[in-house]
């Protein structure tokens, strides 16, 4: 299991478009990819889970990856968030 915290830079937080981009990146990997935010944990491969977390700009989330390609998965999702998820 590997994990890393990342700050959301998108000015409008993780609304539908960036949430979709995050999920698109996450589903490329076999590992389970979850994130923790405000005491809860959600599946990063589910757009509804990402939207349901109500993540705003400046919030910090922690990705938790577990599985055979966990290192690559963590690097990819953190990189996607840091690059702004297409915005």
């Amino acid at each position: 299991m590997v994990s890393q915290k990342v700050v959301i830079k998108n000015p409008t937080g993780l609304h539908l478009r960036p949430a979709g981009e995050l999920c698109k990146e996450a589903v490329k990997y076999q590992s389970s990819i979850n994130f923790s935010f405000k005491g809860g944990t959600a599946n990063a491969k589910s757009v509804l889970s990402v939207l349901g977390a109500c993540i705003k700009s400046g919030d910090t989330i922690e990705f938790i990856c577990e599985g055979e390609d966990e290192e690559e998965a963590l690097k990819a999702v953190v990189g996607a968030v840091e690059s702004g998820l297409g915005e």
Side-chain angles (χ1 to χ4, degrees), residues 14-24 27 35 43-53:
L14 293 187
H15 60 86
L16 187 56
R17 190 173 34 252
E21 290 298 317
L22 175 61
C23 294
K24 230 191 287 187
V27 298
F35 64 90
N43 181 357
K45 294 182 180 183
S46 164
V47 175
L48 290 178
S49 293
V50 176
L51 289 174

Side-chain angles (χ1 to χ4, degrees), residues 15-62:
H15 60 86
L16 187 56
R17 190 173 34 252
E21 290 298 317
L22 175 61
C23 294
K24 230 191 287 187
E25 190 61 39
V27 298
K28 294 177 183 176
Y29 299 91
Q30 291 186 1
S31 297
S32 67
I33 304 173
N34 296 306
F35 64 90
S36 61
F37 177 66
K38 290 190 176 178
T41 303
N43 181 357
K45 294 182 180 183
S46 164
V47 175
L48 290 178
S49 293
V50 176
L51 289 174
C54 299
I55 300 166
K56 311 229 179 317
S57 181
D59 287 342
T60 300
I61 62 174
E62 181 177 16

